[in-house]
Amino acid sequence: MARYIARRLLWTVVLMFAVSVVTFIIFYVLPSADPAALRAGRHASPQQIEEIRHKYHLDKSLLDQLSFYFKGILLHGDFGISYVNDQPVAKLVFSRLPATISVAVGAAVLWLLSGVAIGIISAVRRHSKLDRATMSLALVGISAPVYWLGLVALYLFADDIGLIPLFGGSGSYQPITEDPLAWLNSMILPWVVLAVAFAAFYSRLLRGTLIEVMGEDYIRTARAKGLPERTVVMRHGVRSAITPIVTAFGLDLGALLGGAVLVEIVFNIPGIGRLAYDAILHSDLFLIQGTVLLAAFFVIGANLVVDVVYAYLDPRVRYE
Amino acid sequence: MSTGTLLEEVFDADLIGHPEVVAARTPSQLFWRRFRQDRVAIASLGFIVFLSLVAIFAPLFVALAGTAPPNAIDSSLLNDFGLPTGPSLAHPFGVDGLGRDVLSRTVYGARTSLEIAILATLIATGIGVVLGMLAGFFGGWIDTLISRSVDVMLAFPVFLLALGLASGCSLGNGCAGGLIQPGISTVVVVIAIVSWTYPARLIRGQVLSLKEKEFVDAARSIGASNSRILFREILPNLVVPIIVYASLMIPTNILLEAALSFLGAGVPAPTASWGAMISDATSIFNTAWWYMLFPGLAILFTALAFNLVGDGLTDAMNPRAAD
């Protein structure tokens, strides 16, 4: 087990390296515009542009720039400077992390609870009206664009422009440390909107696997020895059908911690997603690198955790 | 299954008991037969056909509806505060912030959406099938190279990658030294780049199990070449999973295209795109709700129809799981 984890950790480092090299290439080579001119702004003189080119090593070769970047990270923990904000990337990213964690974790709790509950009920009462209705709604939830749902939610329920003013609207985000009630009020709409598609996906997934599991022989055995149906479903059925949900949950949460771009934009929440979006719009290379690396870190980390937990839970998984 | 016994499904009912007439249905015939019995999926397919016709003949549709062309700006349709006017007989879906007809733009938006989603799916599936077959069939360093590339791609935040590629290529002079110009093809390429990994993994897995089957051994024993085994023996068995998987990728790509244009990294203005329309509506949707509502519903119904067809195809492929 220890060797397995060590090998996976090593592979994680390799992946992170590969991701950052690819990001570097994409954002340095692809744009036809001169990065130094972009940074210098609209009214810069040629001389100013030259200074910027020199200051940020933009006059060096791509390979030199890459090695500057990695040396900075490895030797000084320095992820570079955001050209637009003139602040260290690491500081910017960490200042935005609480907002993104607020959005992602709250929504995750919501979609996990509702998705699992709906999935179990639909599987147990399969082909009932309730099952048909929830599964149709789930498909609608999967098909709806999340930013559009966000706008509709704001139109209906935001306390500034909504028809039925109930919850905080766009731009009402408050850090939890300042005013927990205002924070909660501002988070309700983003949580619900973000959770819809995931809850829909999870309920469909769990329904499918649970129906399959309930056809297994050991379920018949459990019933035959006279266990109440509730115990059969929850202790024997769901326990085994939940594994794909655990996998999906880890990966989805990891992906969201890297920034829920669309939801953060619609609700004007200052998180990683909006930071990344602004960075991309301004070709702010080190900031793009920083946000992409953070997102990749969460995705790869979630993968690792899921695999290790899986290997721990399921003895059939071998760690060769 | 409502179709009766497996025997009746595989053989034509009239021919059972007549062994002189060999009329067993092939697996893909069975697949299409089961799909045709799924009423919801067929109705959704009908909607998709209708939508495609509307998209292809958009100018004709707009002329028939009697609304203005999609890019016709008419400031007389704005009220005294410069805000757009709502749905009326002349403009059933209202007008947007520039006085353009929302119905016409929604109709033309179907063109953008379907063209990009379908083309990107075809390309991504093509790449995925080729790489997946190579990796699964040959194994060794080819498999390692392809599988590890897939791992790197999957470690990327997909949406940020697409957004970065798209905005790098959609703003100004295009990218790769002007080789890729802003427009529909850029968005197609971007979406294909971020979505080929899933079909590649799927096909690799399928090929890994197919190549152990007896019919592959049989083909090899009579001296069939690798390419013959790949294309004549294995590929035909992949057709159904490829169709099913591609059908499920289309709605995802419809949503991805709309999200990219929502963020301003889709097709350049003034080309109508549903995501860009919602984005334009963001600043005025508290009064001009129609400008936000109709393109959103268009995305919702289109993605829903493709998802229903995809579900129907999946059920037809795994009839026992459908129950």
Side-chain angles (χ1 to χ4, degrees):
Chain A
M1 188 73 169
R3 272 189 69 189
Y4 171 72
I5 295 177
R7 224 189 43 235
R8 289 297 310 263
L9 280 174
L10 193 68
W11 176 230
T12 302
V13 175
V14 175
L15 265 183
M16 296 285 290
F17 180 73
V19 165
S20 49
V21 171
V22 174
T23 313
F24 215 95
I25 292 171
I26 289 172
F27 289 95
Y28 246 44
V29 179
L30 272 188
S32 322
D34 177 6
L38 275 175
R39 250 132 252 170
R42 219 168 283 171
H43 305 292
S45 66
Q47 197 191 347
Q48 279 171 309
I49 295 179
E50 270 321 303
E51 275 169 24
I52 285 175
R53 203 187 301 283
H54 188 69
K55 184 177 164 198
Y56 294 117
H57 309 299
L58 292 169
D59 46 359
K60 304 284 196 311
S61 72
L62 182 70
L63 216 58
D64 286 342
Q65 293 185 36
L66 252 176
S67 74
F68 270 121
Y69 182 69
F70 285 116
K71 264 186 207 153
I73 294 178
L74 294 175
L75 300 181
H76 313 288
D78 174 14
F79 286 80
I81 298 273
S82 157
Y83 302 121
V84 175
N85 301 301
D86 212 20
Q87 281 188 44
V89 167
K91 195 179 145 202
L92 267 176
V93 167
F94 280 110
S95 73
R96 298 295 192 97
L97 207 48
T100 292
I101 293 176
S102 301
V103 177
V105 173
V109 171
L110 201 61
W111 89 59
L112 191 63
L113 293 179
S114 56
V116 167
I118 295 170
I120 294 174
I121 294 171
S122 287
V124 172
R125 306 206 185 151
R126 125 170 84 127
H127 300 321
S128 68
K129 278 191 182 131
L130 186 70
D131 173 33
R132 271 163 222 253
T134 48
M135 285 305 111
S136 310
L137 269 180
L139 211 54
V140 173
I142 288 173
S143 309
V146 64
Y147 45 94
W148 180 72
L149 278 185
L151 292 179
V152 172
L154 286 172
Y155 185 78
L156 294 177
F157 303 118
D159 55 11
D160 46 357
I161 55 163
L163 296 180
I164 314 161
L166 284 178
F167 308 110
S170 184
S172 62
Y173 173 79
Q174 294 274 339
I176 188 171
T177 45
E178 279 180 23
D179 186 346
L181 269 181
W183 170 81
L184 184 67
N185 188 41
S186 72
M187 279 292 126
I188 288 175
L189 289 182
W191 282 345
V192 173
V193 165
L194 186 56
V196 166
F198 288 103
F201 176 71
Y202 283 41
S203 61
R204 280 163 55 91
L205 184 65
L206 184 59
R207 179 185 181 273
T209 36
L210 189 54
I211 286 175
E212 209 172 297
V213 166
M214 294 304 283
E216 299 273 343
D217 289 342
Y218 73 90
I219 296 290
R220 204 173 43 203
T221 312
R223 284 201 179 114
K225 69 180 181 187
L227 287 180
E229 185 63 17
R230 194 188 167 78
T231 317
V232 175
V233 172
M234 298 306 291
R235 298 284 289 277
H236 293 76
V238 173
R239 184 178 257 189
S240 138
I242 204 88
T243 26
I245 297 280
V246 173
T247 310
F249 184 72
L251 302 185
D252 287 338
L253 187 61
L256 273 186
L257 284 173
V261 183
L262 294 161
V263 167
E264 287 178 7
I265 287 173
V266 168
F267 289 98
N268 204 359
I269 299 166
I272 304 284
R274 249 193 51 204
L275 188 68
Y277 173 62
D278 290 339
I280 288 171
L281 285 193
H282 296 115
S283 302
D284 195 348
L285 183 77
F286 289 136
L287 192 53
I288 296 174
Q289 277 278 17
T291 49
V292 168
L293 272 183
L294 183 80
F297 174 75
F298 281 123
V299 171
I300 298 170
N303 250 307
L304 182 69
V305 172
V306 164
D307 283 354
V308 171
V309 168
Y310 217 89
Y312 185 72
L313 289 180
D314 189 343
R316 283 171 299 182
V317 178
R318 296 207 192 97
Y319 353 97
E320 9 101 40
Chain B
M1 288 286 305
S2 55
T3 47
T5 65
L6 183 67
L7 194 69
E8 282 166 21
E9 201 189 11
V10 176
F11 294 95
D12 219 317
D14 306 334
L15 298 174
I16 293 176
H18 297 273
E20 70 279 8
V21 196
V22 180
R25 296 190 172 93
T26 67
S28 62
Q29 280 172 335
L30 287 174
F31 170 75
W32 290 115
R33 235 172 87 90
R34 284 191 290 259
F35 179 68
R36 278 200 302 273
Q37 281 156 355
D38 186 338
R39 276 191 219 140
V40 177
I42 291 296
S44 308
L45 194 62
F47 175 77
I48 292 169
V49 170
F50 168 75
L51 194 73
S52 310
L53 290 176
V54 167
I56 295 167
F57 300 107
L60 189 68
F61 186 89
V62 167
L64 282 176
T67 49
N71 296 329
I73 296 173
D74 185 352
S75 52
S76 71
L77 294 169
L78 306 179
N79 66 16
D80 297 343
F81 305 103
L83 288 169
T85 49
S88 63
L89 272 181
H91 304 280
F93 287 4
V95 300
D96 72 3
L98 295 173
R100 294 176 296 191
D101 185 84
V102 175
L103 175 63
S104 302
R105 289 189 72 71
T106 308
V107 165
Y108 273 79
R111 277 191 162 180
T112 313
S113 177
L114 292 180
E115 195 177 334
I116 291 177
I118 291 172
L119 279 177
T121 303
L122 287 178
I123 295 175
T125 311
I127 300 174
V129 168
V130 170
L131 293 181
M133 280 174 67
L134 288 176
F137 189 74
F138 291 108
W141 66 270
I142 300 181
D143 184 24
T144 308
L145 182 71
I146 293 173
S147 296
R148 293 297 158 258
S149 314
V150 169
D151 283 349
V152 173
M153 289 295 294
L154 289 178
F156 258 102
V158 173
F159 193 67
L160 288 185
L161 177 64
L163 186 60
L165 283 172
S167 60
C169 296
S170 292
L171 306 173
N173 309 319
C175 60
L179 200 66
I180 304 176
Q181 289 292 322
I184 283 189
S185 56
T186 309
V187 187
V188 169
V189 170
V190 167
I191 295 180
I193 288 177
V194 298
S195 55
W196 62 270
T197 48
Y198 304 98
R201 274 207 160 170
L202 185 95
I203 295 298
R204 175 181 172 270
Q206 297 265 336
V207 173
L208 275 180
S209 77
L210 278 173
K211 77 171 180 184
E212 304 299 332
K213 291 270 162 75
E214 290 85 352
F215 66 87
V216 174
D217 287 342
R220 205 182 293 283
S221 70
I222 57 170
S225 64
N226 274 341
S227 68
R228 195 196 146 88
I229 292 175
L230 257 182
F231 292 106
R232 302 293 293 275
E233 306 291 338
I234 290 183
L235 188 59
N237 287 289
L238 293 173
V239 170
V240 167
I242 290 171
I243 291 174
V244 169
Y245 201 77
S247 75
L248 289 170
M249 261 173 88
I250 293 179
T252 312
N253 288 346
I254 287 176
L255 290 175
L256 186 52
E257 184 276 326
L260 287 176
S261 27
F262 176 76
L263 296 179
V267 290
T271 309
S273 156
W274 293 334
M277 290 169 75
I278 298 176
S279 167
D280 288 347
T282 314
S283 53
I284 48 169
F285 75 96
N286 53 336
T287 48
W289 54 267
W290 52 88
Y291 192 28
M292 167 198 67
L293 183 69
F294 293 111
L297 287 178
I299 301 174
L300 176 65
F301 283 123
T302 311
L304 182 62
F306 276 105
N307 272 324
L308 285 168
V309 171
D311 267 14
L313 290 170
T314 312
D315 292 349
M317 181 170 69
N318 311 312
R320 262 181 296 164
D323 194 35

